[in-house]
Amino acid sequence: MTSRISRTLALTGFAAALVAFAGGFRSRAADDKAAEPAPKFTAAQVSFYEKEVLPVLTQHCLKCHGADPAKLKGEFNLATRKGVLAGGESGPAVDLKAPAGSLLLKTIHYKDDAAKMPPKGKMPDKDIAIIEKWVKDGLPVPADRLGGAEKAAHKGVVTEEAKKYWAYQPVTRPAVPAVKDAGWVKTPIDAFVLAKLEAKGLKPVAPAEKAALIRRATYDLTGLPPSPEEVDAFVADRSPDAYEKLIDRLLASPHYGEKWGRHWLDVVRFAETNGYERDGPKPFAWRYRDYVIKSFNDDKPYDQFVKEQLAGDEVPGYNPDAVIATGFYRLGIWDDEPADPLLAVFDGYDDIVSTVGQGFLGTTFNCARCHDHKADPIPAADYYKLVAFFRDIKPYSENRDVRSANSLSDITPPEQRAKYEEDLKKRMARAAEIKKLMEEIEENVIKTLPAEDQRASEGPDRPQVIERKVVPALKGAVKDGYAALKSERAELEKRTRPAGQQLALSVNNCERTPPTTHILVRGSPQAKGKEVKPGFPEVLGLPEPEIAPPKPGQKSSGRRTVLANWIASKDNPLTARVMANRVWQYHFGRGIVDSANDFGKLGSAPTHPELLDWLAQELTGGGWKLKRLHKLIMMSSVYQLSARADAGNLKADPANNLLWRFNMRRLSGEEVRDSILAVSGALNLKMGGPSTYPKIPKEVLAGQSVPGQGWPTSPPDEGNRRSVYAHVKRSLRVPILVGFDQPDPDSSCPVRYVTTVPTQSLGLLNGEFANEQAEAFAKRLQKEAPDNVAAQIARAVRLTTGRVPSADEVKADAAFIAQLKEKHKLSDAQALTRYALLCLNANEFVYLD
């Protein structure tokens, strides 16, 4: 008789055999499944996963069900599609044939009493809906999340699949596509656009009228309205090159640099104060702003522009522009009394890595500060390799001194510097001589004082002894001589800045041998990990950079020059694409890549990838000259299209992704303010120099802890300069600029999002600035067309819109003015002022096309 134990063992063995058989069957099935071709998902499905699904999983699920085997619970891995389908201890999580009954959906709906996920509480309904859609769509994921690649990516290994992403591929010159309507093509740009339109059976709309076109081009290149006389001259010019001459004239205007410099200031988070509680000033930050404007006006090659900002202080010889350019590093926020000083230092490096990565490379390296990037192939090690390039830069200041030697450089011309250094030498010698003479007089008196006072004069209390005992004891000529010496010494000490010295916000006082850089666990400087050297992103497959040790007399490590040369190389797959995309965006209101600071997977895919590469090639092949690129774009048929809609095109492409028309746009905050000043006749076109402080209403100033602090209001003429010259104080900005969407300067701004809110209309209608300028506008109209209401109306419309009003329009507006006088008892001047205010509030004034 078989014992109970042996029967149990026999059964156990049989069960084990069954399990082994089943396991073998399951392995073969898994192998067969692995051998199947990978599922294909659309770009929209993959984008939905990356932008909607992954954030939900990251927030609620991946901590316990991610790719890390050490932390995996229930043997269930939600990080890959294969893991979801395989399931865990409870079996497959999703049934693709009957997705609605999937275990995953039951658990997140809390319908399965045995398993309610997440256990801490049910997810919000909107998050559940996202997961439901994902499951019902068949679990679409990007290629690197199909199976095992995710595990490798989690450990900081960049996969071969990730390296194939379009933004990391070399820029090649694509062939210009053939199109049916070849007569519409003015430049190769048109062929790329038209090819996509024809593929969808769409046609571009008609060209814009000449009056609209000159207004569009003038604002695009200068940020100012064209005068009625300029509009008339262009409309009347029937020569075939009339439009090209217009573009050339606008590109040559000094106001071009003011407009396009402002775009760049958005990208580099330009501000003139440090933020936080005190929001102290950044001395001489205005020099960086002037450097940017001058660089655009001079059409400085973009690669040189990049190199100067990243490593201008390492350029040999006297080059003040290059030194000023490094003010780029000092524009971010700075805490003058951080709770954790070491963390604040690395926050500063993070600001630099963020701005360099997003601004020059369209890459969010900053997402990898605490962990490997969740979407892009950027391990945390890559982030710290970039930090290592910047470790020679000392913090903004070692204390609360905003005029720190770390952040100010002397850019005085050498011959002038020699003069004031000689003057400084003489002053120091004279100061030392005076000090000696005063001490002799003091000692003669101290010898007569009690022993207690004599001892006190030998220590830190000497100033008190001098003030209370010595000075009162002086008599006659000795007293007069001592007073004269003291006055002369005070005057010398007042002149701490030599006459003629020029200082610039910059990097200075750098480390020749920077400290080592470590990967910081979870971004904490208190948790140092592996040491890293300066290096380029792994995904690009580049060799380690060669950085020579600093030469004798070299003031920095030289690391940033190596980085700058790589970023500004025509072989870099990102730099030219990113800048070409920005130029396109600022002309059309939207980039070919809509997310201008993020060319990664969480950004937008390019609508016209071949066109983007063609533009990038034109940029580098044309010597990195931006004005040449502007002209190529603006001479195209697609740029000259009308903004009018077409019913069929709207139905097929409501977002105008295919560019069948020009996108109407509202003026930026600076353009609104500058245009109001221009039409009122108050605009001061003086360029450059220290920033101005336009008048700010007292109600706004009252919001400060100390009303008016840091805002010494400029005289009206200075205050009415262009908005790009207005002081940018982080805690107090010009209301009309902020109201019309001037961005927060705390981080890089890739694109200004246009809002439409009641405060904009209320500000333009009731605001102090708008009403003051409406009064000035009315005075201008009266001066240019004395006592002629019809002529005043026509002039007002022309100045604010560029077009000639119809007779009926003039008649209706005259009736409005008459009503103001008759019904509301306003004087002629008051009625005209109200009409001028109406013109400044018209949509046609603040919108183009």
Side-chain angles (χ1 to χ4, degrees), residues 78-399:
L78 264 168
T80 67
R81 188 174 188 273
K82 184 178 180 180
V84 179
L85 292 173
E89 293 173 346
S90 302
V94 170
D95 183 350
L96 294 179
K97 294 182 180 178
S102 296
L103 179 61
L104 176 61
L105 297 186
K106 289 180 181 179
T107 60
I108 64 174
H109 275 289
Y110 277 37
K111 290 182 178 179
D112 189 331
D113 292 334
K116 294 180 178 180
M117 293 291 161
K120 291 184 178 180
K122 191 176 178 182
M123 289 191 290
D125 289 345
K126 64 180 180 63
D127 291 349
I128 292 175
I130 288 170
I131 300 300
E132 277 187 329
K133 174 173 169 51
W134 180 49
V135 169
K136 291 175 182 178
D137 284 351
L139 301 175
V141 294
D144 62 352
R145 287 187 180 266
L146 289 171
E150 172 61 22
K151 185 173 180 181
H154 183 83
K155 293 182 178 180
V157 177
V158 176
T159 66
E160 290 303 314
E161 184 67 32
K163 293 178 181 179
K164 296 176 183 177
Y165 186 66
W166 70 269
Y168 309 133
Q169 301 309 301
V171 179
T172 57
R173 190 175 186 84
V176 178
V179 293
K180 297 174 184 174
D181 187 7
W184 189 77
V185 175
K186 292 181 178 178
T187 75
I189 290 170
D190 298 323
F192 286 103
V193 172
L194 188 59
K196 284 189 173 287
L197 287 171
E198 290 181 344
K200 295 289 185 180
L202 305 179
K203 290 184 178 181
V205 299
E209 296 177 355
K210 291 188 75 174
L213 189 58
I214 183 177
R215 192 165 186 256
R216 176 191 301 172
T218 306
Y219 269 112
D220 270 9
L221 290 180
T222 70
L224 293 170
S227 69
E229 293 72 26
E230 289 171 335
V231 174
D232 290 344
F234 176 64
V235 171
D237 189 346
R238 300 298 178 186
S239 61
D241 63 345
Y243 179 63
E244 184 175 6
K245 288 187 296 185
L246 169 68
I247 300 303
D248 289 339
R249 175 175 66 80
L250 294 173
L251 286 171
S253 167
H255 304 309
Y256 159 78
E258 294 172 324
K259 170 61 187 289
W260 281 81
R262 181 60 255 184
H263 288 318
W264 185 253
L265 297 178
D266 281 5
V267 174
V268 297
R269 84 283 188 227
F270 176 77
E272 298 180 78
T273 59
N274 294 314
Y276 292 100
E277 181 182 359
R278 271 174 289 278
D279 199 18
K282 292 184 182 293
F284 308 104
W286 58 267
R287 290 197 195 277
Y288 175 83
R289 175 249 293 150
D290 283 0
Y291 158 81
V292 170
I293 292 172
K294 183 176 183 294
S295 295
F296 276 95
N297 275 335
D298 292 347
D299 203 15
K300 179 176 292 182
Y302 181 67
D303 59 340
Q304 181 184 344
F305 186 59
V306 170
K307 291 177 184 178
E308 288 176 346
Q309 291 175 83
L310 294 176
D313 58 310
E314 296 180 345
V315 174
Y318 175 69
N319 191 330
D321 273 4
V323 173
I324 292 169
T326 65
F328 161 83
Y329 289 109
R330 301 306 191 187
L331 300 175
I333 58 173
W334 174 66
D335 189 351
D336 61 13
E337 53 175 6
D340 185 335
L342 184 58
L343 181 61
V345 169
F346 281 91
D347 285 345
Y349 289 128
D350 185 67
D351 168 64
I352 292 171
V353 170
S354 299
T355 309
V356 170
Q358 295 175 31
F360 296 114
L361 300 170
T363 304
T364 54
F365 289 106
N366 49 299
C367 293
R369 180 183 183 182
C370 303
H371 48 68
D372 295 342
H373 200 294
K374 295 298 184 183
D376 296 334
I378 304 172
D382 279 1
Y383 171 88
Y384 288 99
K385 286 178 184 177
L386 283 178
V387 170
F389 278 112
F390 305 114
R391 287 304 301 276
D392 69 338
I393 299 175
K394 288 186 177 181
Y396 184 87
S397 175
E398 307 292 352
N399 48 45

Side-chain angles (χ1 to χ4, degrees), residues 704-722:
Q704 293 183 277
S705 55
V706 181
Q709 186 177 53
W711 200 269
T713 303
S714 301
D717 186 53
E718 277 291 301
N720 288 343
R721 292 174 63 196
R722 290 199 68 176

Side-chain angles (χ1 to χ4, degrees), residues 58 92 161 189 206 295 376 427 480 634 678 682 787 836:
T58 301
E161 184 67 32
I189 290 170
S295 295
D376 296 334
R427 286 193 297 111
D480 294 341
M634 298 179 76
D787 302 322

Side-chain angles (χ1 to χ4, degrees), residues 555-577:
K555 295 183 178 180
S556 61
S557 68
R559 292 180 177 185
R560 287 177 285 111
T561 292
V562 174
L563 177 67
N565 288 340
W566 169 68
I567 290 178
S569 168
K570 63 181 179 58
D571 297 323
N572 189 308
L574 292 162
T575 308
R577 282 186 176 122

Side-chain angles (χ1 to χ4, degrees), residues 452-523:
E452 181 182 353
D453 290 333
Q454 291 185 37
R455 286 194 297 272
S457 72
E458 295 171 357
D461 291 335
R462 181 181 177 91
Q464 286 85 356
V465 174
I466 301 299
E467 186 67 27
R468 295 173 185 172
K469 302 290 180 73
V470 174
V471 172
L474 297 175
K475 306 293 181 184
V478 175
K479 179 180 180 181
D480 294 341
Y482 184 86
L485 289 171
K486 184 177 180 181
S487 177
E488 184 181 355
R489 183 180 179 183
E491 186 61 32
L492 287 171
E493 289 176 348
K494 254 193 230 178
R495 293 170 57 193
T496 54
R497 186 172 155 206
Q501 185 183 34
Q502 298 174 31
L503 299 175
L505 186 72
S506 65
V507 294
N508 192 26
N509 200 27
C510 296
E511 300 273 10
R512 279 171 45 86
T513 306
T516 57
T517 303
H518 297 261
I519 296 175
L520 303 182
V521 180
R522 302 302 298 171

Side-chain angles (χ1 to χ4, degrees), residues 666 738-742 752-760 847:
R666 198 202 65 206
V738 179
F740 283 93
D741 307 309
Q742 186 188 57
R752 293 193 181 189
Y753 296 102
V754 178
T755 63
T756 304
V757 293
T759 49
Q760 292 163 348
Y847 280 87

